[in-house]
């Protein structure tokens, strides 16, 4: 008895929508990162903000009127 080998064929119909969805996801990721950078005057987004950082941001806001940009 010989067993015929079956080839597993990937249907091509769902590939185009998946590529479109993946491309839109990457575009959205890039857009959000660009917007956050624009809002923060080109600096990366803040992360791990502790009490000291919040107080310094509050001080900067009182001094300059802006949390992200220190200009006196």
């Amino acid at each position: 008895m010989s067993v015929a080998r079956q080839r597993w064929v990937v249907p091509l119909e769902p590939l185009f929508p998946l590529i479109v969805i993946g491309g839109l996801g990457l575009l959205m990721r890039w857009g959000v990162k660009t917007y956050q950078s624009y809002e923060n005057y080109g600096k990366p987004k803040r992360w791990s903000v502790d009490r000291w950082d919040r107080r310094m941001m509050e001080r900067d806001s009182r001094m300059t009127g802006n949390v992200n940009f220190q200009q006196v």
Side-chain angles (χ1 to χ4, degrees):
M1 281 194 179
S2 68
V3 178
R5 296 186 75 178
Q6 291 182 344
R7 283 181 44 184
W8 188 71
V9 180
V10 177
L12 297 177
E13 292 174 355
L15 289 181
F16 180 71
L18 288 175
I19 290 170
V20 170
I21 291 170
L24 289 175
L26 290 173
L27 181 67
M28 188 64 151
R29 180 178 176 187
W30 174 79
V32 167
K33 191 170 186 170
T34 302
Y35 178 73
Q36 288 173 345
S37 176
Y38 170 75
E39 283 290 311
N40 206 17
Y41 294 100
K43 293 187 273 182
K45 181 184 169 195
R46 294 179 188 259
W47 55 276
S48 184
V49 178
D50 58 358
R51 194 168 77 188
W52 172 264
D53 292 328
R54 280 194 287 278
R55 286 187 179 172
M56 290 296 106
M57 288 166 40
E58 193 176 311
R59 178 197 66 132
D60 293 341
S61 177
R62 284 195 310 265
M63 288 175 62
T64 64
N66 192 338
V67 176
N68 297 321
F69 194 62
Q70 300 174 7
Q71 179 182 357
V72 179

